[in-house]
Amino acid sequence: MAEPERPARGPAAAAVAPVVSIRPLTTATLGQHGTRLTVPTYDRSALVPAVVHLSVGGFSRAHQLIYFDEVAERRISTGWGVVGVGLRHRLLQEALAPQDNLYTVVERSPDGERARVVGVLTDYLFAPDDPTAVLDRLADPRTRLVTMTITGAGYLLDPSTGAFTPDDDVRHDLDRPDAPRTVFGFLVEALDRRRRAGTPPFTVVSCDNLHRNGDATRAAVVGFAAGRDEVLARWIADRVAFPSSMVDRITPQTTPEERAAVAERHGVDDRWPVVTEPFSQWVIEDTFCHGRPPLDRVGVRFVRDVTEHELMKTRLLNATHSALGYLGTLAGHERIDELVADPVFAGYATVLMDDEVTPLIPCPEGIDLDEYKATLMQRFANPAIADRLSRLCRRGSTKLPHHLLPSLRQALAEGRPHALLTLAVAGWVRYLQRADDLGRPLPVEDDRGPTLQALALAGGTDPRPLLSDTSVFGDLGTVPGFADELEGVLRRMARDGLRATVASAVAATVAARPAVPLAPALPLDAR
């Protein structure tokens, strides 16, 4: 499933020779960049700021904003310009402001690269500097859609009950609704202002890798509102649409070296370009309360229920990413393309997806799962992206419960094979102990890192102290036999080394394949 074909608007730049003249990126210089980059040809001044994106980062600039840029470029509509909002770090504002909010996206494949300038971002606001400006923008009648990428941990939902759990910033926002700090403080205050003014509410679309992210957003927004006013909470629950969505595009962090390479190859001095892969996918539930953007005209798929698409993506792509991140790092690798060039780890990823995950998930209508998995392996192997394993290892305490542990829990409940899923958990346990197979130190980038590291180190090859953390593992630690299985894998890793343990587990899984394949999961509406 490749990204929908787009009309050519500029050079492909598959093998670009170094250029002598490097020019800044501004509205005034766009015409000078048109020979080496694809640049906007629509009238940016005609864009209506109808979309607000909360927490702009590399992914949103390489994904959601590209689709809205295409809507404008193809002359479908100028009614869906985007206003970006930063919540914590001002660096992006400092990069975009001198560039008139223009930026460069470079799509890289093994065959070369294509660069384009995105012009659909009409403004960028840094919320801590001027929360009133953000509230005014959200309350503006022209704002019809709010999208957001705040990571799974940002929703503040109790993992066992799903209830909204206020933190100190939330309590501040409840006391000072006119000067919020959190996403939910901004959303609820703006919705209240719209309610009081008789303005229709905007639709809120989460673009985070989170199970039923629309439901999670609704729970957080309504939960926050209930802390202020039950009448407001009921109005939001009744009137605001929170469609779930599935997003997919691998977008590594842009390094200073990448910025220099973009300047040299394309002649553009962009303070913060984005480098990404050609593949892109966005599936959204067709539930909007204030007009639906014409994103279906540029490759977005609107569906009745996104759950099957979400399960496919999170359990195959995201879970495999996490598993390869930890196991590959422990084995001494740094990049995923190098890792899957190793037949042991390529075999692990393939057998994990084929034997242990695919039988657990329904196949979305119109999707060939075998083709999807083959595409994933090609994307992992893309040397032009060179995605670093350190990125995949971040925030494990959030990612594993959402992406990998659901498959493991389901496999245990249904008596299905799960040795490679268990091996992935063992990889995370070892990673938390902060040393790879050669004893080199590993960074743990996780809000709960110190607590989880202490538990992992206290247990050694005994995972029970770590499994006792129910905020991550739920009841997995009490599932009969699981702790013993995980301990056995950790002991084999300590005795035989990481690579040999992976190779042995893959071989055993393949050897144990039944003569008749296990039945795949039923569609969700047939269960």
Side-chain angles (χ1 to χ4, degrees):
M1 296 183 301
E3 182 184 17
E5 185 178 355
R6 296 168 173 166
R9 298 191 278 117
V16 181
V19 296
V20 175
S21 179
I22 298 177
R23 299 182 177 91
L25 178 60
T26 66
T27 301
T29 64
L30 270 183
Q32 301 171 26
H33 291 297
T35 59
R36 305 199 69 84
L37 300 164
T38 298
V39 300
T41 63
Y42 55 86
D43 181 2
R44 295 184 73 213
S45 68
L47 291 170
V48 177
V51 184
V52 174
H53 186 87
L54 299 175
S55 193
V56 178
F59 178 78
S60 57
R61 292 196 293 143
H63 187 269
Q64 296 96 340
L65 268 67
I66 292 287
Y67 288 101
F68 286 108
D69 196 62
E70 281 293 313
V71 168
E73 183 59 42
R74 296 188 189 186
R75 308 302 193 271
I76 297 168
S77 173
T78 56
W80 297 94
V82 182
V83 175
V85 175
L87 297 170
R88 294 188 177 183
H89 308 292
R90 68 172 69 252
L91 294 177
L92 187 56
Q93 181 193 45
E94 294 171 348
L96 291 174
Q99 300 179 178
D100 301 323
N101 297 309
L102 296 164
Y103 65 92
T104 311
V105 174
V106 179
E107 297 177 0
R108 287 185 179 166
S109 72
D111 299 325
E113 63 183 52
R114 181 186 300 270
R116 65 184 289 169
V117 174
V118 176
V120 77
L121 193 66
T122 64
D123 198 5
Y124 184 91
L125 306 173
F126 183 54
D129 281 351
D130 194 350
T132 299
V134 177
L135 288 172
D136 289 346
R137 178 59 64 188
L138 289 167
D140 190 317
R142 293 175 297 175
T143 298
R144 306 168 71 186
L145 175 68
V146 175
T147 56
M148 49 195 277
T149 44
I150 62 172
T151 76
Y155 290 78
L156 304 178
L157 300 177
D158 184 277
S160 56
T161 67
F164 184 65
T165 54
D167 61 7
D168 289 342
D169 284 336
V170 166
R171 285 184 280 272
H172 167 275
D173 289 0
L174 291 172
D175 292 336
R176 289 288 311 278
D178 61 323
R181 296 173 180 170
T182 70
V183 164
F184 306 110
F186 280 108
L187 289 174
V188 171
E189 173 63 14
L191 286 167
D192 190 36
R193 293 183 182 189
R194 296 174 78 103
R195 176 179 70 108
R196 294 176 183 277
T199 304
F202 44 68
T203 299
V204 183
V205 178
S206 168
C207 301
D208 285 304
N209 290 318
L210 194 66
H211 177 56
R212 297 294 308 169
N213 54 21
D215 294 345
T217 309
R218 177 190 294 274
V221 172
V222 173
F224 181 102
R228 277 185 51 173
D229 179 351
E230 284 291 349
V231 174
L232 172 60
R234 287 196 297 271
W235 183 85
I236 292 173
D238 293 340
R239 298 286 300 278
V240 180
F242 297 91
S244 291
S245 78
M246 184 274 276
V247 298
D248 189 1
R249 194 171 212 188
I250 296 173
T251 307
Q253 184 176 357
T254 304
T255 64
E257 293 77 16
E258 293 288 3
R259 177 191 166 190
V262 170
E264 181 181 2
R265 293 172 186 169
H266 302 287
V268 58
D269 182 13
D270 187 332
R271 291 166 172 81
W272 204 331
V274 183
V275 177
T276 190
E277 62 173 340
F279 182 95
S280 184
Q281 190 176 37
W282 195 4
V283 183
I284 312 175
E285 289 178 343
D286 196 359
T287 306
F288 294 80
C289 60
H290 194 15
R292 188 183 81 174
L295 295 169
D296 53 326
R297 303 273 299 275
V298 293
V300 175
R301 185 173 182 182
F302 291 116
V303 298
R304 180 184 62 83
D305 187 339
V306 80
T307 304
E308 293 183 357
H309 293 270
E310 173 222 308
L311 287 174
M312 175 188 73
K313 190 258 182 171
T314 57
R315 294 204 187 184
L316 290 172
L317 170 59
N318 296 113
T320 305
H321 253 168
S322 291
L324 289 175
Y326 297 120
L327 296 173
T329 300
L330 291 169
H333 290 279
E334 295 183 351
R335 294 172 14 191
I336 194 169
D337 59 308
E338 297 171 343
L339 180 65
V340 298
D342 183 330
V344 167
F345 291 97
Y348 170 81
T350 300
V351 177
L352 171 69
M353 291 191 287
D354 287 347
D355 288 45
E356 296 192 5
V357 179
T358 300
L360 303 175
I361 58 174
C363 181
E365 182 180 357
I367 301 295
D368 183 323
L369 281 181
D370 288 336
E371 178 184 339
Y372 179 78
K373 289 182 288 186
T375 300
L376 287 183
M377 294 301 294
Q378 293 168 3
R379 294 166 65 193
F380 294 162
N382 182 354
I385 291 296
D387 203 5
R388 302 192 72 81
L389 299 180
S390 58
R391 183 184 76 86
L392 308 184
C393 293
R394 295 173 186 156
R395 302 191 305 275
S397 65
T398 298
K399 292 179 179 179
L400 264 69
H402 290 306
H403 304 155
L404 192 140
L405 297 184
S407 291
L408 176 57
R409 186 174 286 105
Q410 183 180 348
L412 287 164
E414 297 178 6
R416 291 179 181 263
H418 56 273
L420 302 186
L421 289 163
T422 303
L423 180 58
V425 177
W428 186 50
V429 176
R430 280 283 309 278
Y431 184 88
L432 286 172
Q433 295 169 351
R434 301 198 65 170
D436 66 12
D437 259 18
L438 298 178
R440 293 173 295 194
L442 300 174
V444 176
E445 298 182 53
D446 194 307
D447 289 343
R448 301 202 60 234
T451 298
L452 298 172
Q453 285 175 250
L455 293 171
L457 288 167
T461 56
D462 179 2
R464 290 169 184 82
L466 186 61
L467 289 174
S468 68
D469 191 312
T470 57
S471 67
V472 174
F473 291 100
D475 62 354
L476 267 178
T478 65
V479 174
F482 176 67
D484 292 336
E485 291 181 35
L486 185 55
E487 182 176 16
V489 177
L490 290 167
R491 290 183 180 276
R492 284 194 293 277
M493 284 184 174
R495 182 189 67 219
D496 302 334
L498 191 286
R499 194 172 187 278
T501 301
V502 172
S504 175
V506 172
T509 300
V510 171
R513 284 174 173 167
V516 178
L518 294 173
L522 292 171
L524 294 179
D525 56 5
R527 293 181 182 180

